[in-house]
Amino acid sequence: MKSLLFLSIFIPFFSNSQPNYAFSNISKSLLENADAVVRNYDFTFYVENIGEAKSVEHRAVTLLNERAFQQFGEPYFYYYPFEKIENIEASVFDAAGTLVRNLKKKDIEDFKVAQYFVNDVRYKILKLPGRNFPYTIEYTVSKKHIGLMFYPNFEPQESPSVAVEHASFELKMPPGLAARIREINLPTACKKSESRWEFENIKAFRPEPFMPVGDLPLPKVLVAPTDFEFAGVRGDMRSWNGYGKFLEKLNQNRQELPPETIEKLKKLVADCPDDACKIQRIYENLQATTRYFFVGLGIGGWQPAPASEVDEFKYGDCKGLSNYMVSMLRAVEVEAFYAIIQAGETAAAAQFPDFPNPHFNHIIVCAPVKNDTFWLECTSQSESCGFLGTFTDNRPALLICPGGGKLLHTPKYDETQNTVFRETEISLAPDGSATLKSKGIFQGISQNVVSELAELSPEFQQKYFYKILNVNDFEIKTLSFKRIKKRLPSVEQNLELALPRLATVSGKRLFLPVNLLSEKLEIPVVDTVRRFSIQPDSRGLTENDVVKISVPAGFQLENQLEPTAVDSDFGQFEISVKFENGQVEIHRKLILNSKIFPKERFADWLSFLKIVSKWDKTKLVLVKKT
C-alpha cells in the first residue's frame, strides 16, 4: 500500500504533455513589481512513519531580469545523512515557451559550503544554461527524509518581488500519526482540505519604508510534528516542554568536566562576592581560551560536543561552546541553561510561542541570578558579558532545563538604551573651509557597527568612513575607537576632519548645514495608499548632538532660527540654534521608538518626518558685517 501511495505523488509531474510556459501567457497584473513569476509550484510531503518521509518538489519559474537570476537562476538543494536526494530533473524554456534543453548530468555541480568547516551537508546546484530574458526553468526534485524532526514550511511566494500563477502544497500522513499546522497570511479559499492548499494569482508587491522588521505579508503554511524520531531518539513536540525533553536526551552525559578543570575554575572565582561576578569571570575565560569552529557530522548538527572535548581541544561551535559554558558555570555552583534560538538580524518575528517547532539555528546560554538574567553569546571573543546584539535580541529562546523545555524572551533594547551622544567642535574659516573634532559615545544596539569597526585595522576603518560620511570633500586626520565593555556596552569614537569646503561661499555670506554627522531620515515617496503598518525604528534610538561652531571674525548669524520641540507617539524631536560671542551652538535631539502603528497613522508619521527633515536640510547663513 505504501509504494502505491508514493507512486501517486509522482504521476502528475512526469506527464508527456508539453507545458505552456510562453511569456505572453502571463497576466499583466502578475508582471507588475515582479522580477520572477512562479508558473507552477507543487510540493507534496508524504510521511511514511514516525521517522521517515518522502517529498517531491516541482517548480517552474519565469525569470524576467538579472535579479531573478540571482534568486532562481541556479537552483540548489542540500542533502546530508538525514535527507537524501533521490532524483532531479530540470529543463529550460525560451520566451515562447519552447523547450531549449533538458538537464544533463554534467549540469549538476556537487559542492560543500566552506564556511561550515566540518560537516556532512552538501549541495547540488543546477547549472542551467541561461537565455535572453525572459526565460523559464522547470525542475522536479524528490527526496528521502530519514529522521523526522523537521516537517516542511511551505512558502509559495518567497519574496515580494515574486508573483505566483499557481502553487499547491499537500501533506500526506499515515494513520495514527498527526501533524500540527499553522497558517499565516493565507488568501481566502486556498485551503482545499485539512491537508491540501492551492494558491492562484498572487501578485508581487513593493515593500514600504518603515515597515516593522520581518513583517512581510507573505503566505506560509507551517507544519510541525507531534511524535517524531530523529537519529534513533524519539520525541514529542506537542509542547515546548516536550521538545525540551527531547533535546535534553541529546545533551545527556555531555557536561562532565575533568576534576583539574573544575579546580581551576573554582580558584578563578574564589574571591567573587556573587554569581554575577562568577559569570563574568567564567565568560571572559571562555573568550580568552577557546575559538569558534563548526562541527556538524551526523547528529552533531544538533548534539553538542562533550564539554570535556571542548575543554581539551579549546574549540567548538555554538552548541559545543554553549554546553561548555553551562558546564563551567555549574561547576562553580551557578545555575545556567543551554538555550536554542532563531538567530538573525530580522529573525525576531520568525518564531511563534504558541506553535512548538524545531526551526532554530543557534545556541546561547541563559544564567539567571538574583533579580536578573544573564544571556551569553558564547561564539564571540569580544562581546560584552551579558549583552545580546541584533543577532539574538528580543525573541523567544527555548531553555533546556531538567525535566523539559521552558520558553523565555531575550532582552529587548529600546530607545532608552540604544543611544548616540556626540559633541562636535568646528572651526570655520572665511573661505568656507573648516576643521572638525567630534567625540561620540555609542551605546547598546547603536554601538554594534562601531564596536566591530574598533576591532578592525585602521586602514579599513578609514576606508569605511570615507564611504559613509555624508560630507562633501574631507580628509580624516584622526579616527580612533575605545570599547567600554559593560553590561550595556558602549564605544567612544574620536574623529577629526579637515573640510576644504564645509560652507558654501556666496558673496559675503557663508551657508553651512545644521546637521552634519547625524544620519538624515528620508521622507518616503508616496505614490500609492499605504498598505502596511509603521515602525519608526526597528529597535528604538536616541540621538543627542551638541555642535559648537567658531565663526570667523566679522561674521554673524543672519537667519535667526526659532527652536522647535515636537513630542509625538512616534518619538520626540528638539532642536535649537543660538549665536553668542562669535560661536554658533546647535542642540539636536531625536528619539524614535520601536512601537508598531497601524497604516492609518501614516499621514501623522509623515508629518513628524517632514519636521525633522526640514531642519536637517536647513542651512545656517553667516553674513560678514560691512
Side-chain angles (χ1 to χ4, degrees):
M1 178 63 73
K2 182 193 302 181
S3 60
L4 289 175
L5 281 171
F6 187 62
L7 181 62
S8 70
I9 298 174
F10 281 85
I11 289 173
F13 303 140
F14 294 94
S15 169
N16 292 324
S17 62
Q18 177 71 44
N20 191 347
Y21 295 137
F23 171 72
S24 59
N25 290 339
I26 301 174
S27 166
K28 289 184 179 179
S29 66
L30 292 181
L31 294 175
E32 187 177 354
N33 299 320
D35 293 328
V37 179
V38 174
R39 313 300 294 274
N40 194 38
Y41 178 19
D42 295 308
F43 188 89
T44 303
F45 192 75
Y46 172 58
V47 179
E48 296 180 300
N49 54 56
I50 194 171
E52 295 180 303
K54 292 186 177 181
S55 65
V56 179
E57 175 186 347
H58 170 247
R59 186 169 352 200
V61 184
T62 298
L63 286 63
L64 305 180
N65 52 42
E66 185 63 33
R67 291 186 298 274
F69 180 83
Q70 297 302 319
Q71 187 170 359
F72 295 105
E74 295 183 338
Y76 62 89
F77 309 93
Y78 76 89
Y79 65 98
Y80 69 123
F82 296 104
E83 190 166 318
K84 299 180 178 180
I85 296 174
E86 294 190 325
N87 189 51
I88 297 178
E89 295 187 7
S91 303
V92 179
F93 301 82
D94 64 16
T98 303
L99 176 65
V100 174
R101 182 177 176 180
N102 288 318
L103 182 77
K104 298 178 181 177
K105 188 175 181 179
K106 66 182 180 64
D107 299 326
I108 302 177
E109 181 180 312
D110 191 287
F111 73 102
K112 179 179 179 180
V113 180
Q115 73 235 38
Y116 285 104
F117 301 113
V118 177
N119 75 343
D120 44 23
V121 176
R122 299 190 66 85
Y123 289 80
K124 290 189 182 292
I125 183 169
L126 310 188
K127 293 288 186 177
L128 301 171
R131 309 292 298 173
N132 293 329
F133 298 111
Y135 70 94
T136 299
I137 61 172
E138 179 185 39
Y139 61 80
T140 302
V141 177
S142 59
K143 286 185 175 184
K144 173 73 173 179
H145 306 261
I146 307 165
L148 270 192
M149 183 163 58
F150 288 91
Y151 282 18
N153 289 341
F154 183 70
E155 302 180 26
Q157 185 180 25
E158 290 188 5
S159 68
S161 62
V162 175
V164 180
E165 277 190 339
H166 170 82
S168 71
F169 172 54
E170 186 166 13
L171 176 68
K172 293 178 177 287
M173 300 293 299
L177 192 62
R180 294 174 299 108
I181 296 166
R182 185 183 181 100
E183 300 169 332
I184 301 172
N185 298 321
L186 296 194
T188 57
C190 72
K191 191 166 188 176
K192 302 304 178 183
S193 71
E194 286 301 309
S195 58
R196 181 174 176 81
W197 295 260
E198 292 186 9
F199 303 85
E200 305 286 344
N201 299 319
I202 304 174
K203 295 180 181 180
F205 63 92
R206 287 181 294 178
E208 296 173 329
F210 299 104
M211 287 178 63
V213 171
D215 194 29
L216 291 173
L218 302 174
K220 299 177 185 179
V221 179
L222 310 184
V223 186
T226 49
D227 299 302
F228 67 96
E229 182 178 283
F230 184 73
V233 181
R234 289 208 168 197
D236 177 357
M237 210 179 290
R238 292 174 178 84
S239 68
W240 288 116
N241 181 262
Y243 184 43
K245 288 180 180 179
F246 165 78
L247 294 172
E248 188 183 15
K249 290 178 190 176
L250 293 188
N251 293 5
Q252 212 165 32
N253 302 320
R254 306 182 83 78
Q255 293 179 338
E256 291 79 11
L257 290 171
E260 58 271 23
T261 297
I262 295 174
E263 189 62 30
K264 286 179 184 177
L265 294 172
K266 288 181 177 179
K267 288 181 180 179
L268 181 66
V269 301
D271 62 337
C272 278
D274 54 31
D275 285 351
C277 170
K278 292 181 180 180
I279 291 168
Q280 180 150 349
R281 293 267 182 93
I282 300 294
Y283 182 71
E284 290 174 351
N285 177 70
L286 176 84
Q287 291 180 309
T289 61
T290 64
R291 60 191 176 91
Y292 177 85
F293 193 89
F294 182 80
V295 179
L297 297 172
I299 197 174
W302 278 86
Q303 187 177 61
S308 57
E309 286 187 12
V310 179
D311 184 68
E312 179 183 359
F313 298 112
K314 302 303 180 186
Y315 69 80
D317 55 17
C318 65
K319 305 182 301 298
L321 294 172
S322 294
N323 181 63
Y324 183 45
M325 184 69 189
V326 168
S327 304
M328 290 193 293
L329 288 174
R330 290 180 178 176
V332 296
E333 299 180 347
V334 175
E335 187 177 43
F337 302 100
Y338 186 89
I340 65 173
I341 196 164
Q342 173 79 318
E345 182 78 21
T346 61
Q351 266 295 353
F352 304 93
D354 59 346
F355 185 72
N357 69 85
H359 292 282
F360 297 90
N361 59 8
H362 192 49
I363 313 295
I364 58 176
V365 169
C366 176
V369 298
K370 187 177 180 180
N371 300 322
D372 200 358
T373 301
F374 280 77
W375 294 90
L376 306 171
E377 172 54 69
C378 298
T379 63
S380 172
Q381 293 179 301
S382 61
E383 189 60 87
S384 295
C385 178
F387 179 73
L388 299 179
T390 55
F391 196 56
T392 50
D393 70 320
N394 191 27
R395 68 199 73 193
L398 183 64
L399 274 58
I400 310 309
C401 309
K406 183 178 180 181
L407 201 68
L408 290 186
H409 209 82
T410 59
K412 177 182 179 181
Y413 305 102
D414 62 19
E415 59 273 14
T416 65
Q417 298 157 304
N418 307 326
T419 61
V420 179
F421 177 72
R422 262 185 299 257
E423 291 181 308
T424 303
E425 295 182 356
I426 297 172
S427 180
L428 186 64
D431 64 354
S433 64
T435 58
L436 176 151
K437 292 182 179 179
S438 180
K439 177 183 176 181
I441 303 294
F442 299 77
Q443 182 178 260
I445 298 297
S446 299
Q447 60 84 53
N448 278 6
V449 172
V450 194
S451 64
E452 290 180 15
L453 275 175
E455 302 297 322
L456 300 175
S457 68
E459 293 76 18
F460 186 93
Q461 293 170 353
Q462 292 217 1
K463 184 178 180 181
Y464 178 82
F465 266 76
Y466 275 116
K467 184 177 180 180
I468 66 150
L469 278 182
N470 189 24
V471 182
N472 291 326
D473 192 12
F474 64 91
E475 180 185 357
I476 297 175
K477 294 294 188 180
T478 302
L479 177 61
S480 64
F481 302 91
K482 179 183 177 183
R483 294 190 69 179
I484 303 161
K485 292 188 178 182
K486 296 181 179 179
R487 186 71 178 279
L488 188 67
S490 60
V491 176
E492 179 183 307
Q493 172 191 295
N494 288 282
L495 176 68
E496 185 176 348
L497 303 178
L499 299 144
R501 50 190 181 96
L502 171 64
T504 302
V505 181
S506 179
K508 59 182 182 179
R509 289 176 174 79
L510 298 176
F511 298 83
L512 69 156
V514 167
N515 183 359
L516 192 64
L517 295 179
S518 295
E519 186 175 348
K520 297 175 178 63
L521 294 177
E522 295 294 331
I523 299 177
V525 176
V526 182
D527 55 4
T528 59
V529 176
R530 180 78 182 192
R531 293 182 57 194
F532 307 119
S533 51
I534 306 149
Q535 188 176 37
D537 189 87
S538 62
R539 286 171 172 84
L541 170 68
T542 296
E543 280 187 332
N544 256 310
D545 276 278
V546 177
V547 181
K548 297 177 180 179
I549 305 170
S550 296
V551 173
F555 281 80
Q556 64 183 12
L557 185 64
E558 183 177 55
N559 55 336
Q560 299 298 325
L561 302 170
E562 292 297 321
T564 294
V566 180
D567 191 352
S568 80
D569 293 339
F570 310 104
Q572 298 174 31
F573 178 67
E574 299 173 12
I575 192 164
S576 64
V577 179
K578 69 177 183 179
F579 178 73
E580 271 183 3
N581 302 320
Q583 187 178 74
V584 175
E585 189 167 312
I586 304 168
H587 288 257
R588 178 186 182 275
K589 182 178 182 180
L590 174 65
I591 300 176
L592 297 175
N593 61 47
S594 60
K595 296 177 184 175
I596 296 176
F597 299 89
K599 61 184 181 181
E600 288 77 15
R601 296 293 307 278
F602 187 59
D604 298 332
W605 169 236
L606 274 182
S607 297
F608 179 81
L609 279 181
K610 287 175 180 177
I611 294 170
V612 178
S613 179
K614 180 181 177 181
W615 266 101
D616 284 350
K617 293 178 180 178
T618 296
K619 300 280 189 179
L620 297 177
V621 183
L622 299 170
V623 61
K624 190 172 184 179
K625 299 175 185 176
T626 55

mmCIF file of all heavy atoms in Angstrom, residues 36-37 107 129 162 194 268 281 326 342 442 454 536 581 583 592 608 612 621:
data_model
loop_
_atom_site.group_PDB
_atom_site.id
_atom_site.type_symbol
_atom_site.label_atom_id
_atom_site.label_comp_id
_atom_site.label_asym_id
_atom_site.label_seq_id
_atom_site.Cartn_x
_atom_site.Cartn_y
_atom_site.Cartn_z
ATOM 1 N N ALA A 36 10.290 37.873 -11.037
ATOM 2 C CA ALA A 36 10.076 36.493 -11.477
ATOM 3 C C ALA A 36 8.615 36.142 -11.272
ATOM 4 O O ALA A 36 7.937 36.703 -10.398
ATOM 5 C CB ALA A 36 10.967 35.537 -10.701
ATOM 6 N N VAL A 37 8.141 35.199 -12.075
ATOM 7 C CA VAL A 37 6.777 34.689 -11.941
ATOM 8 C C VAL A 37 6.849 33.174 -11.804
ATOM 9 O O VAL A 37 7.376 32.481 -12.690
ATOM 10 C CB VAL A 37 5.896 35.066 -13.142
ATOM 11 C CG1 VAL A 37 4.489 34.481 -12.972
ATOM 12 C CG2 VAL A 37 5.823 36.577 -13.306
ATOM 13 N N ASP A 107 25.431 19.084 -15.904
ATOM 14 C CA ASP A 107 24.866 20.359 -15.451
ATOM 15 C C ASP A 107 24.669 20.408 -13.935
ATOM 16 O O ASP A 107 24.261 21.434 -13.398
ATOM 17 C CB ASP A 107 23.511 20.605 -16.124
ATOM 18 C CG ASP A 107 23.619 20.694 -17.634
ATOM 19 O OD1 ASP A 107 24.647 21.194 -18.109
ATOM 20 O OD2 ASP A 107 22.669 20.270 -18.323
ATOM 21 N N PRO A 129 21.713 26.365 -18.460
ATOM 22 C CA PRO A 129 22.195 27.394 -19.397
ATOM 23 C C PRO A 129 21.244 28.579 -19.448
ATOM 24 O O PRO A 129 20.034 28.426 -19.598
ATOM 25 C CB PRO A 129 22.240 26.660 -20.745
ATOM 26 C CG PRO A 129 21.286 25.521 -20.590
ATOM 27 C CD PRO A 129 21.347 25.119 -19.151
ATOM 28 N N VAL A 162 8.335 38.383 -6.235
ATOM 29 C CA VAL A 162 7.949 37.170 -6.958
ATOM 30 C C VAL A 162 6.422 37.088 -7.022
ATOM 31 O O VAL A 162 5.751 37.199 -5.997
ATOM 32 C CB VAL A 162 8.508 35.912 -6.263
ATOM 33 C CG1 VAL A 162 8.003 34.649 -6.943
ATOM 34 C CG2 VAL A 162 10.034 35.947 -6.248
ATOM 35 N N GLU A 194 -8.157 19.442 4.816
ATOM 36 C CA GLU A 194 -7.370 19.592 6.042
ATOM 37 C C GLU A 194 -5.876 19.532 5.772
ATOM 38 O O GLU A 194 -5.078 19.993 6.575
ATOM 39 C CB GLU A 194 -7.756 18.500 7.049
ATOM 40 C CG GLU A 194 -9.096 18.714 7.704
ATOM 41 C CD GLU A 194 -9.168 20.029 8.467
ATOM 42 O OE1 GLU A 194 -8.261 20.295 9.284
ATOM 43 O OE2 GLU A 194 -10.108 20.812 8.213
ATOM 44 N N LEU A 268 39.526 30.400 40.069
ATOM 45 C CA LEU A 268 39.307 31.615 39.275
ATOM 46 C C LEU A 268 38.258 32.528 39.903
ATOM 47 O O LEU A 268 38.349 33.754 39.823
ATOM 48 C CB LEU A 268 38.891 31.219 37.845
ATOM 49 C CG LEU A 268 38.638 32.345 36.850
ATOM 50 C CD1 LEU A 268 39.936 33.106 36.551
ATOM 51 C CD2 LEU A 268 38.047 31.790 35.554
ATOM 52 N N ARG A 281 33.660 36.265 35.125
ATOM 53 C CA ARG A 281 34.994 35.657 35.116
ATOM 54 C C ARG A 281 35.022 34.427 34.197
ATOM 55 O O ARG A 281 35.950 34.253 33.400
ATOM 56 C CB ARG A 281 35.374 35.221 36.537
ATOM 57 C CG ARG A 281 35.586 36.365 37.513
ATOM 58 C CD ARG A 281 37.046 36.788 37.595
ATOM 59 N NE ARG A 281 37.175 37.856 38.591
ATOM 60 C CZ ARG A 281 37.480 37.650 39.870
ATOM 61 N NH1 ARG A 281 37.697 36.407 40.298
ATOM 62 N NH2 ARG A 281 37.591 38.664 40.697
ATOM 63 N N VAL A 326 27.848 26.270 30.060
ATOM 64 C CA VAL A 326 26.901 25.782 31.073
ATOM 65 C C VAL A 326 27.624 24.872 32.064
ATOM 66 O O VAL A 326 27.446 24.978 33.286
ATOM 67 C CB VAL A 326 25.726 25.036 30.407
ATOM 68 C CG1 VAL A 326 24.900 24.283 31.450
ATOM 69 C CG2 VAL A 326 24.836 26.018 29.646
ATOM 70 N N GLN A 342 16.349 31.226 17.365
ATOM 71 C CA GLN A 342 16.378 31.545 15.933
ATOM 72 C C GLN A 342 17.117 32.862 15.786
ATOM 73 O O GLN A 342 16.605 33.929 16.110
ATOM 74 C CB GLN A 342 14.954 31.662 15.385
ATOM 75 C CG GLN A 342 14.849 32.145 13.951
ATOM 76 C CD GLN A 342 15.124 31.090 12.916
ATOM 77 O OE1 GLN A 342 16.033 30.294 13.055
ATOM 78 N NE2 GLN A 342 14.349 31.066 11.865
ATOM 79 N N PHE A 442 28.590 55.781 21.641
ATOM 80 C CA PHE A 442 27.562 54.919 21.074
ATOM 81 C C PHE A 442 27.278 53.806 22.077
ATOM 82 O O PHE A 442 28.201 53.128 22.527
ATOM 83 C CB PHE A 442 28.018 54.325 19.747
ATOM 84 C CG PHE A 442 28.323 55.350 18.686
ATOM 85 C CD1 PHE A 442 29.504 56.075 18.712
ATOM 86 C CD2 PHE A 442 27.419 55.584 17.663
ATOM 87 C CE1 PHE A 442 29.783 57.022 17.742
ATOM 88 C CE2 PHE A 442 27.687 56.529 16.683
ATOM 89 C CZ PHE A 442 28.874 57.251 16.727
ATOM 90 N N ALA A 454 35.924 48.882 15.653
ATOM 91 C CA ALA A 454 37.014 49.043 16.620
ATOM 92 C C ALA A 454 37.984 47.869 16.594
ATOM 93 O O ALA A 454 39.156 48.016 16.978
ATOM 94 C CB ALA A 454 36.440 49.224 18.022
ATOM 95 N N PRO A 536 8.757 53.284 13.480
ATOM 96 C CA PRO A 536 9.753 54.346 13.305
ATOM 97 C C PRO A 536 11.190 53.842 13.304
ATOM 98 O O PRO A 536 12.017 54.288 12.513
ATOM 99 C CB PRO A 536 9.484 55.262 14.502
ATOM 100 C CG PRO A 536 8.035 55.068 14.808
ATOM 101 C CD PRO A 536 7.777 53.615 14.531
ATOM 102 N N ASN A 581 28.849 85.415 21.251
ATOM 103 C CA ASN A 581 30.296 85.604 21.357
ATOM 104 C C ASN A 581 31.065 84.923 20.232
ATOM 105 O O ASN A 581 32.065 84.231 20.461
ATOM 106 C CB ASN A 581 30.801 85.080 22.707
ATOM 107 C CG ASN A 581 30.121 85.765 23.877
ATOM 108 O OD1 ASN A 581 29.881 86.989 23.840
ATOM 109 N ND2 ASN A 581 29.806 84.998 24.909
ATOM 110 N N GLN A 583 30.170 82.457 18.348
ATOM 111 C CA GLN A 583 30.023 80.995 18.263
ATOM 112 C C GLN A 583 28.564 80.620 18.071
ATOM 113 O O GLN A 583 27.682 81.143 18.756
ATOM 114 C CB GLN A 583 30.569 80.333 19.530
ATOM 115 C CG GLN A 583 30.607 78.812 19.451
ATOM 116 C CD GLN A 583 31.191 78.187 20.695
ATOM 117 O OE1 GLN A 583 30.542 78.150 21.733
ATOM 118 N NE2 GLN A 583 32.424 77.701 20.594
ATOM 119 N N LEU A 592 13.414 58.038 18.416
ATOM 120 C CA LEU A 592 12.493 57.212 17.632
ATOM 121 C C LEU A 592 12.210 55.951 18.439
ATOM 122 O O LEU A 592 13.142 55.285 18.894
ATOM 123 C CB LEU A 592 13.110 56.831 16.282
ATOM 124 C CG LEU A 592 13.425 57.982 15.326
ATOM 125 C CD1 LEU A 592 14.151 57.448 14.090
ATOM 126 C CD2 LEU A 592 12.162 58.715 14.921
ATOM 127 N N PHE A 608 5.544 64.106 11.129
ATOM 128 C CA PHE A 608 6.688 64.111 12.040
ATOM 129 C C PHE A 608 7.993 64.084 11.244
ATOM 130 O O PHE A 608 8.935 64.861 11.521
ATOM 131 C CB PHE A 608 6.597 62.904 12.974
ATOM 132 C CG PHE A 608 7.733 62.795 13.950
ATOM 133 C CD1 PHE A 608 7.730 63.535 15.112
ATOM 134 C CD2 PHE A 608 8.804 61.946 13.697
ATOM 135 C CE1 PHE A 608 8.783 63.439 16.027
ATOM 136 C CE2 PHE A 608 9.856 61.835 14.592
ATOM 137 C CZ PHE A 608 9.845 62.581 15.762
ATOM 138 N N VAL A 612 11.392 66.886 11.017
ATOM 139 C CA VAL A 612 12.796 66.515 11.219
ATOM 140 C C VAL A 612 13.598 66.787 9.947
ATOM 141 O O VAL A 612 14.686 67.379 9.987
ATOM 142 C CB VAL A 612 12.915 65.031 11.619
ATOM 143 C CG1 VAL A 612 14.375 64.642 11.790
ATOM 144 C CG2 VAL A 612 12.134 64.758 12.897
ATOM 145 N N VAL A 621 22.999 80.627 7.785
ATOM 146 C CA VAL A 621 23.517 81.689 6.925
ATOM 147 C C VAL A 621 24.329 82.655 7.794
ATOM 148 O O VAL A 621 23.788 83.313 8.692
ATOM 149 C CB VAL A 621 22.385 82.454 6.213
ATOM 150 C CG1 VAL A 621 22.976 83.511 5.276
ATOM 151 C CG2 VAL A 621 21.483 81.495 5.449
#
